Amino acid sequence: MVTIGPDTDLARLRAELVEVGSSLLVESLARGLAGLPTPHPQEGEPTIAAKLTPEDLRLHWEEGAVQLHRVVRLDRVDHIRGGRRLGILKAVPSDRAWPEDPGPPGTLAGTSVLTGAGTLELQQVQPESRAPMPAEDWARRCATFAR
């Protein structure tokens, strides 16, 4: 059984599923044909999930921090500002308190980004054409990230 926790990202989930699935396959094949289950035809109509598009992997700050965190966990999200891409590699929802009038969703204070519902705390980012870095280091270098 593989447990998907609130911070499990796609890469970690994939690695766990490969490990568990490989072990089960080797165990089943080691017993020969007797180890394989009896095949049964599929019942019902198959469903096919829609492919993710680049737009699906963009962060729309009007959404809530919890939903944005789910998108970040897909490991391929980015934000485009002024024609430049910023990959958001790790982030978590936060209870950060904002001033009375903090500004529109997408407003940045340090590594905290105001969303439509709550705050998303950036932990690791990758500026365009650069290596991944801690969000604190990036924020010191680039303080104008807002929408």
Side-chain angles (χ1 to χ4, degrees):
M1 180 175 189
V2 175
T3 303
I4 301 174
D7 293 320
T8 303
D9 61 23
L10 183 60
R12 187 173 358 161
L13 178 60
R14 182 181 293 125
E16 287 181 38
L17 290 173
V18 165
E19 184 177 325
V20 170
S22 297
S23 296
L24 288 172
L25 180 62
V26 168
E27 183 182 310
S28 295
L29 293 176
R31 292 180 287 190
L33 288 177
L36 298 175
T38 305
H40 297 283
Q42 178 175 329
E43 295 180 18
E45 292 296 315
T47 56
I48 299 173
K51 276 185 122 177
L52 291 176
T53 66
E55 184 59 27
D56 294 328
L57 300 173
R58 294 250 162 73
L59 296 178
H60 301 280
W61 300 113
E62 296 77 17
E63 295 179 9
V66 172
Q67 176 62 24
L68 292 170
H69 177 242
R70 291 176 183 145
V71 177
V72 169
R73 290 169 48 205
L74 293 173
D75 293 334
R76 300 181 297 168
V77 303
D78 59 22
H79 177 75
I80 297 184
R81 165 119 172 102
R84 303 289 312 243
R85 180 190 158 283
L86 177 70
I88 311 290
L89 305 177
K90 292 188 183 186
V92 293
S94 167
D95 293 331
R96 182 184 190 282
W98 287 83
E100 190 172 314
D101 184 20
T107 299
L108 178 75
T111 58
S112 299
V113 183
L114 182 65
T115 72
T119 301
L120 192 67
E121 184 67 36
L122 305 179
Q123 295 179 326
Q124 186 177 29
V125 299
Q126 184 172 10
E128 186 172 12
S129 302
R130 302 217 183 239
M133 65 176 59
E136 297 89 15
D137 294 349
W138 170 79
R140 278 192 288 275
R141 293 174 49 185
C142 175
T144 58
F145 173 65
R147 301 173 59 172

